[in-house]
Amino acid sequence: MAYGLSVFWLPLTRALSVGQPAPAACPDMGVMTALFTTTCDWRVSDLVTVFSIGIVVLGLSAALFGGWLERAGPRKAGIAAALCWGGGFLIGAFGVYVHQLWLVWLGMGLIGGIGLGLGYISPVSTLIKWFPDRRGMATGMAIMGFGGGAMIGSPLADSLIKSFRTADSAGVWQTLAVMGVGYILFMLGGAFGYRVPPAGWRPDGWTNPTAKNAMIASGHVHLRDAHKTFQFWMIWLVLFLNVSAGIGVLALASPMLQEIFGGELIGLPGTGFSALDAGQKAQVAAIAAGFVGLLSLFNILGRFFWASMSDRIGRKGTYAIFFALGGLLYAAAPWAAGIGSQALFVAIFCVILSMYGGGFATVPAYLADVFGTQFVGAIHGRLLTAWSMAGIVGPFVITKIREAQVAAGVQGADLYGRTMYVLASFLAVGFLCNLLVRPLAQRWFMSDSERASLDVRSGATASGPSGSFGIGRGGFSPGAGLAWAVVGIPIVWGIGITLSKAFILFR
């Protein structure tokens, strides 16, 4: 839902002036005034900060609490994530009710961001241990869930806001309260469903392919040593550069399509965006919203597709495709815009966003291959600081380049050309960083005695020889069917709404 918080911003800009002809605006309102005012409507710029705080805190909390997750277990981390994320919504609801922006920042930004970080890494660390033979597929499923949350949460929030809206209420605080309780209940259900396999567990008939693939480690690196390795920082840069490029596009996807194609989107070729009237701009904005929805869908699908593909071609090979193909597509986007091919332009960015999502989903399996699985959750948490940094750098760079182009009088298809080339250069550097990732030297891995000692302290000591321990490969059961229904029905609903909005692009 972090990706879908923007559904609240516009209603909140009229929280005090619902039903009034004009907002309760305060000219030249500073940030401190906005945080504590009870008489002025908030600005979108003040509200968007909630998302920035949440993404930054996601990476920091994942890094800070990753070690605790490995000691306490994923269930306690999942419970903490549920209470922080859902509780953050409840605090945000109270902040909206009393019109105190600092409470919204605190609840949905800071406390909610801690919930995001713990909720992101706890299923990943668990699934990697359960699926040693399908690490990419398992992490792809988990991180696809994270990316797909907004596809369900945004239309749900929109429907709730409309239901709760009255002549004197925007309906937002009620929506936040209902969703906060809902998130707590559903996330607790997920957390209590966690199970950790015994030490040495593996599927029947499966052997670790370390002899065939030098990139898959046979040992485990301790958390205290992972960040000391050259490989960690190369993978950090790999994630940072991939995310910086992708998140920059997401930040400006809607205005980019509108300003490049303008009147062509509504059957008025040759008419620039600035020449359209208010009604025509509203039509164009609706089409651009469909474009954003389509990008979100490919972002989600790419998380599962590319992560699963990495099980076959390797993580390093998968990232090589991301950077090589992605760089070519970024460079080709201005050409597609120049020839006026809307379909080709949309297709290019759908593939780009699939690789952006795929990068998130593949990196935990990459870490497990290089550093082993003993501390992969905590190591992944530290690596997510790259996401926090990219969430600042990507939008900043792309926005500053656009502002410079606008100031120079550049319009239409040329407005984002330089931006695309800069992002392509990000991926070129990422390609080189990925090439430099090599297997770790044996000195970095824990000894057998040290690992056995850790297993004793964590309670994960095997009670018998390594193997399946009588744990089967799963299968269909009423419980499994119910679990799939709880997850699958909302996802199908969200995909249906997304596709219906995206269909307007191809009318």
Side-chain angles (χ1 to χ4, degrees), residues 202-465:
R202 62 174 183 262
D204 279 330
W206 179 81
T207 56
N208 196 328
T210 51
K212 300 178 182 178
N213 190 341
M215 287 301 300
I216 299 179
S218 57
H220 303 269
V221 178
H222 199 284
L223 176 62
R224 65 170 179 263
D225 296 323
H227 67 281
K228 300 175 185 177
T229 65
F230 176 76
Q231 285 84 342
F232 176 87
W233 293 107
M234 286 299 99
I235 298 176
W236 191 97
L237 285 172
V238 161
L239 182 64
F240 169 75
L241 292 164
N242 187 59
V243 174
S244 293
I247 209 168
V249 170
L250 279 175
L252 288 176
S254 178
M256 181 170 60
L257 187 78
Q258 295 178 64
E259 291 175 329
I260 287 176
F261 291 100
E264 290 184 36
L265 295 172
I266 54 174
L268 297 174
T271 305
F273 179 75
S274 59
L276 300 175
D277 61 33
Q280 291 168 333
K281 287 182 178 179
Q283 289 179 271
V284 169
I287 294 172
F291 176 55
V292 173
L294 196 63
L295 292 183
S296 298
L297 182 59
F298 273 83
N299 172 16
I300 296 158
L301 297 177
R303 293 172 187 239
F304 179 70
F305 172 80
W306 288 111
S308 298
M309 183 67 70
S310 74
D311 287 329
R312 296 181 177 273
I313 64 176
R315 326 304 170 194
K316 191 171 182 177
T318 303
Y319 268 100
I321 293 174
F322 291 165
F323 291 126
L325 178 58
L328 292 174
L329 290 175
Y330 274 112
W335 168 75
I339 64 173
S341 177
Q342 178 186 327
L344 183 58
F345 185 85
V346 169
I348 284 173
F349 281 100
C350 284
V351 176
I352 285 173
L353 262 295
S354 79
M355 294 188 291
Y356 164 77
F360 278 119
T362 305
V363 81
Y366 205 166
L367 293 172
D369 287 353
V370 175
F371 297 98
T373 60
Q374 185 83 26
F375 287 97
V376 68
I379 296 170
H380 183 216
R382 290 186 176 180
L383 195 84
L384 289 180
T385 54
W387 185 3
S388 298
M389 187 67 69
I392 298 171
V393 172
F396 176 81
V397 169
I398 197 171
T399 301
K400 288 301 179 182
I401 296 174
R402 178 185 177 277
E403 288 175 355
Q405 294 289 85
V406 170
V410 179
Q411 296 182 2
D414 297 328
L415 182 58
Y416 292 92
R418 183 173 297 177
T419 301
M420 294 301 107
Y421 296 135
V422 169
L423 296 181
S425 70
F426 279 17
L427 297 186
V429 176
F431 185 85
L432 295 176
C433 293
N434 184 55
L435 283 181
L436 293 174
V437 178
R438 294 286 188 270
L440 285 168
Q442 192 61 39
R443 63 188 177 88
W444 291 111
F445 295 107
M446 294 186 294
S447 65
D448 291 341
S449 59
E450 184 178 12
R451 190 181 175 205
S453 175
L454 288 172
D455 288 339
V456 169
R457 289 203 296 269
S458 66
T461 306
S463 58

Side-chain angles (χ1 to χ4, degrees), residues 63-83:
L64 288 173
F65 298 119
W68 170 75
L69 180 151
E70 298 293 353
R71 294 191 302 273
R75 183 177 296 172
K76 290 181 180 178
I79 292 171
L83 297 178

